Amino acid sequence: MTADRGQRFASGELVLITGGAGFVATNLADRLLRDGARVRLFDNLSRAGVEQNVTWLRAQHGEAVELLVGDIRDTAAVAAAVAGVQRVFHFAAQVAVTTSLTDPFLDFEVNARGTLNLLEAIRACHERPSLLFTSTNKVYGHLDDVPLRQRNRRYEPAETAVARLGISETRPLDFHSPYGCSKGAAEQYVLDYARTFGLPATVFRMSCIYGPHQFGTEDQGWVAHFLIQALNRGPLTLYGDGLQVRDILFVEDLVEAMRLAHACIDRIGGEAFNLGGGPGNTVSLLELLDLVGDLLGERPAFTIEPWRPADQRYYVSDTRKFEAATGWRPRTPVDAGVRRLLAWLEESGTAAHREVTSGQVAS
Ligand SMILES: NC(=O)c1ccc[n+]([C@@H]2O[C@H](COP(=O)([O-])OP(=O)(O)OC[C@H]3O[C@@H](n4cnc5c(N)ncnc54)[C@H](O)[C@@H]3O)[C@@H](O)[C@H]2O)c1
């Protein structure tokens, strides 16, 4: 049985967000709390800086924010977190390709086993909450067979259909890097639990998300990391040639997509969707540096290092499947979103407190 499936969020309902102190979670929680939901955050606080997000949420929303400090690898803690909730957003993860290369067991335990812990906890519920899982574009692999050419300071697909529409869900899966494997395994479990056990669950395969409350580092969150390093005049490293292109999605637009996904779970359960800024919101690393230079009056300096494993030269989401299912559209253009992230970094003092030690990745 499922509570409130296929309906708008009801006032006072209890929502669980795993990885609840993180970047996406904080933006989502703020929105849900403003809509009148109660939010339970489940997080082991392992990501540096995320306690600040919890402090901020509590300052905004007080007692409506519940924090459970726990680990997604702990089955009993996960079962307790799921008790009594109507909806679940599952974000707790080992989030970096780089870390997955150095510690694949940790990556597997958190991402794959942790997701299975959550699925089993939901399956055991009398009233099963609906679930949204956040996967990654890395499940589509390196995309070597997509011919590219250089145009000015970016790569672009040689085929006009790919350039116009991006990469769709019909693309064969090709998990790349331990992170790609652990996230890919997790999303397949989620989709299969929808099929085999009837769980109301759906998957977003996300491209690069950016926005306020993001503590971008060398390992993950490259748009925020660029800005933090630029504000601090810290070192930046581009791996590859800087021409690589991503579609970046402002977090507010992602939050709207996530609310719609839960509201439409009866129709979209058991399906995976590519979610990103789409062909209208693409940027290369060099182009983002140019934009940062325009905003700050000084183009950040950088050094170049060789490509790293699983670095895609081009990834842009074809979001038409989700748009057709829900009516969603990305609303925030790249320059407006980057300005808002920059304003938050400056106003919150976040940039001033970050270490200025290392470079940049694109994931
Ligand atoms: N931000 C992006 O560009 C992006 C892109 C693709 C997919 N995703 C996925 O979206 C989700 C949210 O990403 P984000 O950018 O907000 O990441 P984030 O690192 O800000 O948030 C993840 C949270 O999970 C917590 N966490 C880590 N290990 C945990 C564990 N073992 N138990 C409990 N909590 C744990 C961390 O402390 C952190 O607060 C992640 O699953 C990530 O893989 C993000």
Side-chain angles (χ1 to χ4, degrees):
M1 288 294 296
T2 302
D4 285 341
R5 280 172 60 178
Q7 296 175 18
R8 296 182 59 236
F9 285 67
S11 182
E13 74 175 68
L14 183 58
V15 177
L16 170 66
I17 309 179
T18 76
F23 153 54
V24 172
T26 301
N27 286 277
L28 175 70
D30 180 48
R31 175 67 196 268
L32 298 182
L33 287 156
R34 281 192 280 118
D35 288 349
R38 291 176 299 137
V39 171
R40 177 179 289 164
L41 311 175
F42 180 84
D43 202 299
N44 70 353
L45 305 178
S46 58
R47 180 146 191 173
V50 294
E51 297 92 337
Q52 283 176 52
N53 285 336
V54 180
T55 304
W56 181 81
L57 277 172
R58 283 195 163 140
Q60 307 299 311
H61 303 286
E63 295 302 309
V65 182
E66 179 188 356
L67 173 66
L68 294 182
V69 178
D71 199 299
I72 200 73
R73 292 167 288 183
D74 178 343
T75 50
V78 171
V82 165
V85 306
Q86 279 89 55
R87 303 181 201 259
V88 180
F89 296 86
H90 177 34
F91 305 155
Q94 191 301 104
V95 295
V97 172
T98 45
T99 308
S100 81
L101 296 168
T102 53
D103 197 346
F105 281 120
L106 170 83
D107 180 73
F108 177 84
E109 288 292 330
V110 174
N111 291 355
R113 176 62 198 249
T115 299
L116 190 55
N117 287 344
L118 180 65
L119 287 167
E120 278 296 285
I122 292 174
R123 189 162 80 93
C125 289
H126 179 60
E127 297 274 331
R128 291 174 174 173
S130 52
L131 170 68
L132 170 67
F133 173 68
T134 43
S135 186
T136 167
N137 60 32
K138 292 287 181 282
V139 299
Y140 296 121
H142 203 255
L143 303 169
D144 278 332
D145 61 328
V146 176
L148 300 175
R149 61 186 172 215
Q150 183 178 345
R151 184 174 58 83
N152 301 324
R153 288 164 72 73
R154 61 159 58 203
Y155 289 117
E156 67 175 15
E159 291 167 16
T160 48
V162 182
R164 199 162 48 82
L165 302 172
I167 304 296
S168 86
E169 297 83 355
T170 59
R171 177 94 202 163
L173 295 175
D174 178 20
F175 302 163
H176 198 165
S177 77
Y179 172 78
C181 291
S182 64
K183 278 286 192 178
E187 65 146 67
Q188 292 301 304
Y189 268 104
V190 172
L191 295 175
D192 189 61
Y193 267 54
R195 177 172 55 193
T196 301
F197 300 115
L199 255 58
T202 187
V203 168
F204 279 4
R205 294 180 182 143
M206 303 194 322
S207 193
C208 298
I209 315 300
Y210 71 107
H213 304 286
Q214 185 171 32
F215 300 105
T217 68
E218 164 160 72
D219 294 317
Q220 196 246 10
W222 64 278
V223 176
H225 186 65
F226 264 26
L227 286 167
I228 291 168
Q229 293 299 87
L231 284 166
N232 289 321
R233 293 192 167 76
L236 272 175
T237 304
L238 303 191
Y239 295 93
D241 51 22
L243 300 170
Q244 54 267 53
V245 167
R246 299 287 182 272
D247 60 323
I248 64 175
L249 180 65
F250 192 64
V251 67
E252 213 171 78
D253 291 333
L254 176 69
V255 164
E256 187 54 27
M258 290 178 156
R259 292 171 72 253
L260 282 168
H262 265 281
C264 301
I265 199 77
D266 277 345
R267 281 190 290 113
I268 69 170
E271 299 276 332
F273 298 91
N274 292 350
L275 248 291
N281 295 293
T282 66
V283 69
S284 75
L285 304 190
L286 291 175
E287 289 168 348
L288 186 66
L289 284 177
D290 293 342
L291 175 58
V292 172
D294 289 346
L295 294 175
L296 296 181
E298 182 184 340
R299 191 163 175 274
F302 61 89
T303 53
I304 292 275
E305 293 285 343
W307 293 97
R308 296 152 318 156
D311 279 342
Q312 296 154 320
R313 282 172 172 71
Y314 181 87
Y315 184 85
V316 172
S317 316
D318 177 350
T319 55
R320 287 177 302 157
K321 181 180 172 187
F322 190 71
E323 291 178 18
T326 65
W328 175 85
R329 296 276 184 289
R331 306 264 174 219
T332 313
V334 169
D335 58 344
V338 170
R339 276 174 206 274
R340 287 180 61 187
L341 173 53
L342 177 62
W344 177 78
L345 287 168
E346 288 177 320
E347 283 160 19
S348 65
T350 299
H353 295 107
R354 306 302 296 165
E355 284 188 339
V356 190
T357 51
S358 56
Q360 167 283 321
V361 296
S363 62

